[in-house]
Amino acid sequence: MNILDYVDFRGDILFNERPLNEVDNLIFSELSYLELASLFGDNTDIEFTISELCQIYAPLRDGLDYPFSDPWPLLEKCADSARFGDVMVKYFVNEASKDLHSQFAAVTFIYDDGRMYIAFRGTDGNIEGWREGFSFSFMEETEGQRRAVEYLNKVASREAGEITVGGHSKGGNFAEYAAAYCDESVKNRIRMIYSNDGPGFIDAILDSEEYKAILPRTLKIMPEASIVGSMLSGNETVKHIKGTEKGLIQHDPFYWSVKGTEFEPSSRKGSAEFIEKTLTTWVEGMEGEERQQFTEAVFETLDDSGISSLADLHKKSFRALAAIHKAKKRLDPDKAKLAKEGFKRMRKAAVSTLFNKKPKQEQQND
């Protein structure tokens, strides 16, 4: 059973009968990927129920491109359910800045007489969003993280109910960061924080009192074979769950296995642990300045190659590889050697995952 089946199973039970759970959390996080800019514009007073939104959104969905699965089937099922149909959708924002290397989108769902789920979108098709994700490895605050704090404070100032925050992928990072650094009066209203396979943080954030304060209310949910959520560190409670597909595809929320009203628990896959170790070794082997230099070199050369979206990256894959190779050449010899070794290890890990083989002992000890 996945989140679509869950709506069929649970859709007739209202939130005031059974409160929001971890599966509901992922549903709201996935709905944040809907492209709603043409419906909301800059008007923060506009609101729709999910049922109304489905009717208006239907003719707009053709031609839209999503980095993961199309959220339309989920919206359609939610719209027809008693549990989700009357949930209000408000405060949608979607911003991308090439100058600030940022991509930020968020939306608020209001249910059960004023309770809120504030959903931060993960990385979409804009390449600047992926650049920002890489920036988590060397920046204490990205532009998207800063905007997440502002958004949470602003919504909380306009709505009085209990708050849950969450997001998928990069959105999970934004949710944790916003909850940690929002106004104290807002933080006191937060019931729960969900990071759905979201990346972690650098030590400066992990060591902060603001971050430590939210840990008792924070849950990270990670599919057994996905590695996005293991990028960088985190001290929150982690629940590993089963996926219905293999490997990195499990990052897609539609492949998370649901059992009843929870995700089905699992143990971490050995191949994922190996990739996680590889990436950790690669990242920790560079100082913050080196991580920044490498990230800027890669994305500047991608930009020079005319690649501005995931669609471009797919269509121009050979050009992208050439851009990354060029980026490595822009580093000094010691850093270039480090980058080369890092890519070598990642290639080994990718091969191991692709063929679903147990990593060789010599790779583990490399």
Side-chain angles (χ1 to χ4, degrees):
M1 186 163 79
N2 67 3
I3 52 178
L4 294 172
D5 302 315
Y6 167 84
V7 179
D8 290 334
F9 162 70
R10 192 73 170 189
D12 61 335
I13 302 176
L14 301 178
F15 282 104
N16 60 12
E17 299 174 291
R18 293 290 186 273
L20 183 142
N21 59 50
E22 62 188 39
V23 184
D24 298 318
N25 138 69
L26 184 66
I27 288 172
F28 285 137
S29 290
E30 175 61 22
L31 291 176
S32 74
Y33 284 101
L34 292 165
E35 295 294 350
L36 304 177
S38 62
L39 302 181
F40 283 84
D42 296 326
N43 190 340
T44 57
D45 293 325
I46 294 178
E47 59 183 39
F48 303 97
T49 66
I50 284 182
S51 292
E52 291 170 341
L53 185 63
C54 184
Q55 295 177 6
I56 301 169
Y57 190 77
L60 304 176
R61 58 184 291 264
D62 291 340
L64 295 175
D65 185 28
Y66 295 97
F68 303 106
S69 296
D70 183 349
W72 165 255
L74 182 61
L75 175 64
E76 197 171 29
K77 280 188 176 291
C78 287
D80 290 337
S81 73
R83 187 170 182 82
F84 295 99
D86 291 332
V87 171
M88 298 301 302
V89 184
K90 300 181 71 173
Y91 307 120
F92 176 79
V93 298
N94 186 14
E95 305 162 352
S97 172
K98 187 173 181 179
D99 292 337
L100 298 174
H101 309 307
S102 174
Q103 165 258 326
F104 173 78
V107 64
T108 298
F109 300 94
I110 301 178
Y111 63 97
D112 190 19
D113 298 327
R115 288 182 171 86
M116 290 175 283
Y117 185 99
I118 295 179
F120 296 101
R121 182 190 292 181
T123 307
D124 57 22
N126 190 306
I127 204 71
E128 292 300 334
W130 292 87
R131 178 172 184 161
E132 183 172 36
F134 276 75
S135 298
F136 292 156
S137 68
F138 59 83
M139 293 183 67
E140 290 190 31
E141 183 179 71
T142 68
E143 177 64 16
Q145 289 172 329
R146 185 189 68 79
R147 284 289 293 115
V149 174
E150 287 184 353
Y151 181 88
L152 176 54
N153 284 333
K154 183 174 182 179
V155 172
S157 72
R158 301 190 64 174
E159 304 288 342
E162 179 185 81
I163 302 169
T164 299
V165 294
H168 169 255
S169 193
K170 187 178 74 171
N173 177 285
F174 283 174
E176 288 193 60
Y177 190 90
Y181 293 98
C182 65
D183 294 340
E184 199 65 28
S185 59
V186 177
K187 189 178 299 186
N188 292 335
R189 293 167 53 191
I190 296 176
R191 167 185 170 267
M192 193 71 186
I193 304 123
Y194 289 99
S195 176
N196 299 297
D197 207 22
F201 302 92
I202 59 175
D203 289 344
I205 295 173
L206 298 180
D207 294 338
S208 71
E209 294 304 315
E210 292 88 348
Y211 175 79
K212 292 176 182 178
I214 67 167
L215 290 177
R217 290 172 285 172
T218 304
L219 177 65
K220 177 179 283 189
I221 303 171
M222 288 177 57
E224 58 196 353
S226 181
I227 55 95
V228 175
S230 63
M231 295 175 67
L232 300 177
S233 300
N235 297 324
E236 63 279 277
T237 299
V238 177
K239 180 176 182 177
H240 292 115
I241 65 170
K242 287 188 177 180
T244 58
E245 289 290 336
K246 295 181 179 180
L248 301 180
I249 297 174
Q250 287 186 11
H251 187 56
D252 188 323
F254 285 94
Y255 296 116
W256 296 19
S257 182
V258 178
K259 190 173 183 179
T261 60
E262 298 180 347
F263 294 109
E264 189 172 0
S266 180
S267 57
R268 196 82 166 111
K269 291 290 187 181
S271 57
E273 288 182 340
F274 177 69
I275 299 174
E276 179 180 336
K277 182 179 179 181
T278 298
L279 290 173
T280 300
T281 301
W282 184 49
V283 171
E284 291 182 350
M286 291 186 281
E287 298 295 330
E289 185 178 349
E290 293 174 316
R291 298 173 198 169
Q292 180 176 0
Q293 184 179 6
F294 183 75
T295 297
E296 290 176 351
V298 169
F299 284 93
E300 284 172 11
T301 48
L302 287 175
D303 186 55
D304 291 343
S305 302
I307 294 170
S308 61
S309 67
L310 290 184
D312 290 340
L313 198 59
H314 176 70
K315 295 174 184 176
K316 305 172 184 178
S317 57
F318 288 107
R319 188 183 297 179
L321 289 173
I324 293 172
H325 182 68
K326 182 180 176 182
K328 288 191 293 183
K329 288 185 175 181
R330 291 170 59 178
L331 300 175
D332 67 44
D334 289 340
K335 294 174 184 176
K337 182 180 179 181
L338 180 64
K340 181 178 180 180
E341 181 62 24
F343 279 117
K344 179 182 176 182
R345 293 185 181 205
M346 281 195 288
R347 283 197 298 269
K348 288 182 180 180
V351 169
S352 174
T353 302
L354 180 63
F355 292 100
N356 199 27
K357 293 178 180 178
K358 184 177 180 180
K360 296 179 181 179
Q361 188 65 34
E362 61 265 28
Q363 290 176 328
Q364 293 176 324
N365 296 330
D366 188 35

